[in-house]
Amino acid sequence: MLPPSVTRDMAFAVSGNPATDRGALLALDLFSGQLAFRKELNTGPLTSPVASERCVVVCAHDTAQPKLIGFDTSTGRERFDIPDPGLCEGGAPLMIDGQLVINAPNGHLSAIDLETGKGTD
């Protein structure tokens, strides 16, 4: 079981098995306990979600390589779907100034814009 990610008044959790093509991102309102949204994934999640106030990122299995899928935290709308720069391999994430910074185990450092999914190395 992967632990949830909490930001402000929302908790985000993933369900599913990495070996399958099924999974889901669940958003829970911490004040009411109600499900805010559920987004079906066409793949199993590989890590816990990483959340900021405006974007939650899920690391998921893909046929070719792992990928990062970004969702809007209030609506659940998908923002981006990009190849993973190392988060799924045990990279350390840090949300800062609208960017997801990933320090990958191989020493590669990436920053991903949480609005567009565009990255810089």
Side-chain angles (χ1 to χ4, degrees), residues 50-96:
V50 180
S52 70
E53 284 187 36
R54 300 182 64 205
C55 185
V56 58
V57 178
V58 176
C59 188
H61 190 311
D62 197 1
T63 54
Q65 68 180 37
K67 63 182 179 176
L68 299 182
I69 309 168
F71 297 94
D72 186 276
T73 57
S74 59
T75 65
R77 180 186 62 83
E78 187 175 310
R79 289 185 176 191
F80 56 84
D81 183 335
I82 60 172
D84 170 45
L87 181 62
C88 297
E89 299 167 2
L94 175 65
M95 295 280 199
I96 185 166

Side-chain angles (χ1 to χ4, degrees), residues 11-72:
F12 300 94
V14 289
S15 67
N17 183 328
T20 68
D21 61 352
R22 301 252 188 237
L25 169 66
L26 303 134
L28 302 165
D29 182 292
L30 291 176
F31 291 113
S32 69
Q34 298 295 314
L35 183 66
F37 65 81
R38 176 187 174 108
K39 296 300 288 186
E40 297 298 321
L41 305 172
N42 293 329
T43 182
L46 296 172
T47 66
S48 294
V50 180
S52 70
E53 284 187 36
R54 300 182 64 205
C55 185
V56 58
V57 178
V58 176
C59 188
H61 190 311
D62 197 1
T63 54
Q65 68 180 37
K67 63 182 179 176
L68 299 182
I69 309 168
F71 297 94
D72 186 276

